[in-house]
């Protein structure tokens, strides 16, 4: 799918407003940081939360609100920006579980703390210290996301309505993360991989943020259903694109190594398709290379070649196109103002046609 993004300035301006609300919230936490507690956790969270990111979840939440006919305002931007703190929690914990050393072009949070431990020659295992410190950072991000959402300035009854979808999203993400663990030691089928991306990433990225915005606005079931019809296939397309970039992307653009997913043996749809389509020789090489923590650049290049020659990458691109088109068809029928439809079309393009 190729969508001309005609409202880039609007998208960028809304991102900047979300960042301003995030910075203001975090700055309000600074004076209350406990006396005598090292500031490493606080400073790391602030840096990580504000250091880049596409801000997709706040953007979809904002336009979910506007789709219900509600006006622009600082309060909805603040409530939407709280989702970025929850996203920080998810990324920090995901990097620990995946053993990823880089995020957004910088060392991941657990790697930062492990490197600090090693640099200062502290007692114990640097890796264990890094994991533990990062877990605490992620936990605090999740707690602060709740706090920021409730302190957005919207009336309490509206916050309560929006929080129902927020709670659903939170449960789905954690359940999806566990399902990801299970699938990593399970059958590795296409069906199980598709279930993981729907629970762990697709609804979390698009559908639930839209519904949180709709809930805050007091929208009815018709709009919630329309957001599911649009958001689910678009969220699937987003994650399928993410999996392609994890193997074929440019690390200078994505900010992550193209070795991480292959070394981890991440059970993606693309790899499941490659296994299904591989001949005997290719299947043997997949078993030897995929999930090997010592995988080098040459081995990764061989894996990419197998993915290409089996046709798995082409099939993923087709799956992305089909889902993106289904999302746009659903959006065309959604009961939202024309301005919102235009904005969501632009966002759909940024989700699917991207390099990072």
């Amino acid at each position: 799918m190729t969508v001309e993004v005609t409202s880039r300035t609007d998208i960028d301006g809304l991102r900047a407003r979300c960042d301003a609300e995030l910075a203001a919230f975090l700055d309000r936490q600074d004076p209350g940081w406990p006396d005598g507690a090292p500031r490493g956790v606080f400073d790391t969270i602030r840096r990580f939360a504000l250091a880049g990111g596409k801000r997709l979840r706040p953007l979809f939440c904002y336009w979910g609100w506007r789709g219900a006919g509600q006006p622009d305002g600082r309060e909805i931007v603040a409530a939407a920006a709280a989702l970025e703190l929850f996203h920080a929690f998810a990324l920090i914990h995901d990097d620990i579980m995946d053993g990823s050393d880089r995020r957004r072009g910088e060392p991941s949070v657990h790697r930062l703390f492990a490197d600090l431990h090693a640099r200062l020659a502290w007692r114990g295992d640097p890796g264990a210290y890094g994991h533990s410190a990062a877990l605490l950072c992620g936990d605090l991000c999740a707690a602060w996301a709740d706090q920021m959402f409730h302190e957005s300035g919207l009336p309490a009854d509206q916050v309560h309505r929006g929080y129902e979808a927020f709670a659903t999203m939170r449960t789905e993400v954690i359940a999806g993360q566990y399902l990801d663990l299970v699938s990593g030691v399970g059958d590795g089928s296409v069906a199980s991989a598709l279930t993981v991306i729907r629970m762990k990433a697709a609804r979390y990225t698009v559908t639930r943020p839209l519904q949180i915005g709709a809930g805050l606005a007091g929208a009815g079931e018709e709009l919630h259903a329309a957001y599911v019809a649009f958001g689910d296939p678009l969220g699937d397309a987003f994650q399928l694109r993410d999996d392609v970039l994890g193997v074929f992307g440019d690390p200078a653009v994505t900010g992550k190594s193209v070795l991480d997913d292959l070394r981890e043996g991440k059970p993606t749809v693309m790899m499941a398709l490659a296994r299904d389509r591989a001949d005997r020789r290719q299947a043997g090489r997949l078993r030897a290379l995929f999930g090997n923590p010592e995988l080098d650049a040459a081995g990764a290049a061989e894996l990419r070649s197998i993915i290409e020659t089996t046709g798995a990458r082409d099939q993923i691109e087709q799956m992305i196109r089909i889902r993106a088109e289904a999302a746009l068809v659903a959006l065309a029928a959604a009961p939202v103002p024309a301005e919102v439809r235009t904005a969501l079309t632009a966002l759909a393009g940024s989700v699917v046609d991207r390099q990072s």
Side-chain angles (χ1 to χ4, degrees), residues 5-247:
V5 180
T6 58
S7 54
R8 171 60 57 193
T9 301
D10 293 339
I11 291 175
D12 290 344
L14 187 51
R15 283 194 183 113
R17 292 172 65 193
C18 288
D19 284 349
E21 292 296 336
L22 271 174
F25 173 83
L26 291 169
D27 288 346
R28 289 196 298 274
Q29 310 318 304
D30 193 350
W33 189 251
D35 291 341
R39 293 185 55 86
V41 167
F42 178 85
D43 292 340
T44 299
I45 289 174
R46 192 183 192 286
R47 246 189 340 266
F48 184 79
L50 296 176
K54 292 176 279 292
R55 307 299 187 239
L56 289 175
R57 292 149 196 88
L59 292 174
F60 280 115
C61 180
Y62 173 86
W63 286 110
W65 160 276
R66 295 293 303 277
Q70 294 289 348
D72 180 38
R74 188 207 66 79
E75 293 82 2
I76 181 56
V77 176
L83 300 189
E84 198 64 25
L85 280 174
F86 183 78
H87 186 47
F89 145 77
L91 293 180
I92 291 168
H93 282 211
D94 196 49
D95 285 344
I96 295 169
M97 297 173 71
D98 292 350
S100 298
D101 286 339
R102 297 194 71 76
R103 171 69 65 178
R104 295 173 176 169
E106 300 291 337
S108 52
V109 171
H110 68 90
R111 176 49 51 193
L112 278 171
F113 281 107
D115 290 346
L116 174 67
H117 184 289
R119 189 167 62 250
L120 297 178
W122 288 342
R123 291 192 308 273
D125 176 28
Y129 176 85
H131 285 184
S132 296
L135 282 171
L136 294 173
C137 287
D139 291 345
L140 190 51
C141 284
W144 277 348
D146 267 22
Q147 182 181 344
M148 185 176 181
F149 191 78
H150 283 89
E151 294 178 358
S152 63
L154 290 170
D157 61 329
Q158 290 181 273
V159 171
H160 180 73
R161 288 195 298 265
Y163 195 68
E164 182 177 348
F166 190 114
T168 298
M169 175 191 73
R170 184 175 55 200
T171 300
E172 284 177 341
V173 168
I174 294 171
Q177 187 72 27
Y178 177 68
L179 182 60
D180 197 15
L181 278 178
V182 173
S183 66
V185 297
D187 62 0
S189 67
V190 173
S192 66
L194 283 168
T195 301
V196 169
I197 68 170
R198 173 62 60 87
M199 286 186 62
K200 178 184 171 183
R203 284 192 166 167
Y204 160 59
T205 301
V206 185
T207 306
R208 297 309 181 209
L210 284 166
Q211 290 184 315
I212 291 168
L216 290 168
E221 287 302 316
E222 182 184 9
L223 186 59
H224 280 273
Y227 284 161
V228 172
F230 167 68
D232 279 5
L234 183 61
D236 287 349
F238 167 84
Q239 187 57 46
L240 291 171
R241 172 63 65 212
D242 221 45
D243 291 342
V244 172
L245 292 173
V247 175

Side-chain angles (χ1 to χ4, degrees), residues 7 10-11 60 63 331 337-349:
S7 54
D10 293 339
I11 291 175
F60 280 115
W63 286 110
L331 179 60
E339 176 191 12
V340 175
R341 187 172 290 106
T342 298
L344 290 176
T345 300
L347 273 176

Side-chain angles (χ1 to χ4, degrees), residues 308-323:
E308 296 265 22
T309 56
T310 58
R313 185 179 182 184
D314 286 342
Q315 187 166 350
I316 287 292
E317 292 293 344
Q318 182 182 19
M319 292 171 72
I320 291 171
R321 286 194 299 273
I322 289 170
R323 284 158 175 76

